[in-house]
Amino acid sequence: MNATMTTRRRPTLPLLPLLMLAALGCSAPASAQTDAAAAAHADHAAHRAHMAQDDATESAADAKPAAVPGASLYHLKGALVDQDGRSFKLEQRRGQPMLVSMFYNSCKFVCPMLIDTLRATEQTLTAEERAKVSVLLITFDPARDDVKALKAVARQRGLAPGHWTLARTDAGNVRQIAAALDIQYRQLADGEYNHTTVLLLLDGEGRIVGRTKKLGAVDPAFQKLLRQTIRAAGNAKAG
């Protein structure tokens, strides 16, 4: 009986063992190393593209409770300064719902779109409803966004004084506020910023009750939640 000789194909090394070999100081075949490097590069590029798309625009509504229910922004005690040079603390905003976000003045694309979306959302309200909610924008960039720069933004964008507050604070307070709002940011070598772009809704006690990353158009779910929050605040005062 004749035995049949079978030639088996050598399997390609998967990525994980390659990484383990590298960590141990061992060498994998050159072709396998090339394949692994290409795969890692592709994964990294895909991750960066996904993060950029998520931060710039998000098509679906994300009106949902904060990650830490019940946490209030008003427990932060640092002072801020508005576009008119007036000092204030966040807790002074207690008692009325507020739309909040973070931006910086030299941002050329996403931040102007953020302001336009906030304004469009506000304009869906009646005059009576608008009187019961305020808007707060805090800069990531206190080094460049001084009172004069904030005042210029408010004037150029036609943001109603007394209703829209553009504010700056020191770098430490910026970090605390961003963490409380679950906003991530990072300054780049050229002085610009990578940052989460999001609109947040606080209730009268400074608790996050909704958020949306949809830009360029009003988010219907977020707008509905805004109206509900305004009504609830009015009912609480009446009661």
Side-chain angles (χ1 to χ4, degrees):
M1 184 174 179
N2 294 329
T4 301
M5 298 295 293
T6 302
T7 301
R8 294 190 178 182
R9 196 174 183 178
R10 186 176 180 180
T12 302
L13 287 172
L15 180 58
L16 182 57
L18 285 175
L19 296 175
M20 293 174 66
L21 287 170
L24 293 171
C26 301
S27 298
S31 61
Q33 291 178 359
T34 302
D35 291 344
H41 179 76
D43 286 346
H44 181 66
H47 177 71
R48 285 176 61 87
H50 174 74
M51 291 296 293
Q53 180 182 12
D54 182 63
D55 283 347
T57 55
E58 179 167 299
S59 58
D62 188 26
K64 60 186 180 182
V68 185
S72 172
L73 188 66
Y74 298 155
H75 76 278
L76 300 178
K77 301 303 181 184
L80 297 89
V81 178
D82 69 14
Q83 69 266 36
D84 293 315
R86 295 173 297 202
S87 179
F88 69 97
K89 292 189 176 182
L90 292 167
E91 62 185 352
Q92 293 174 237
R93 301 303 176 97
R94 191 184 304 275
Q96 187 179 70
M98 185 164 63
L99 292 166
V100 181
S101 192
M102 300 185 75
F103 81 117
Y104 67 105
N105 186 35
S106 59
C107 175
K108 302 302 182 185
F109 302 105
V110 176
C111 295
M113 189 181 298
L114 171 71
I115 294 174
D116 287 344
T117 304
L118 271 168
R119 184 161 50 188
T121 301
E122 181 197 33
Q123 288 174 350
T124 65
L125 303 175
T126 66
E128 182 180 359
E129 288 171 329
R130 283 197 298 273
K132 297 176 181 178
V133 64
S134 59
V135 184
L136 173 63
L137 286 169
I138 302 168
T139 179
F140 293 111
D141 192 8
R144 292 184 292 183
D145 290 348
D146 57 13
V147 169
K148 183 178 179 180
L150 296 177
K151 185 74 170 179
V153 174
R155 183 174 58 251
Q156 292 164 5
R157 308 292 295 182
L159 306 179
H163 186 63
W164 283 69
T165 301
L166 278 62
R168 64 187 304 276
T169 186
D170 63 58
N173 286 333
V174 169
R175 286 192 294 272
Q176 290 185 358
I177 292 168
L181 297 176
D182 195 22
I183 291 177
Q184 298 180 2
Y185 70 101
R186 179 172 63 91
Q187 189 170 20
L188 305 177
D190 62 359
E192 300 303 300
Y193 287 81
N194 278 345
H195 61 90
T196 307
T197 307
V198 60
L199 282 63
L200 299 110
L201 173 62
L202 308 187
D203 67 10
E205 292 301 314
R207 296 171 297 218
I208 301 173
V209 294
R211 66 179 70 225
T212 180
K213 290 183 179 179
K214 183 173 182 178
L215 298 182
V218 175
D219 182 332
F222 187 77
Q223 190 264 355
K224 180 179 179 180
L225 182 61
L226 173 58
R227 278 206 157 107
Q228 291 172 345
T229 304
I230 292 170
R231 283 197 301 269
N235 292 339
K237 286 183 178 180

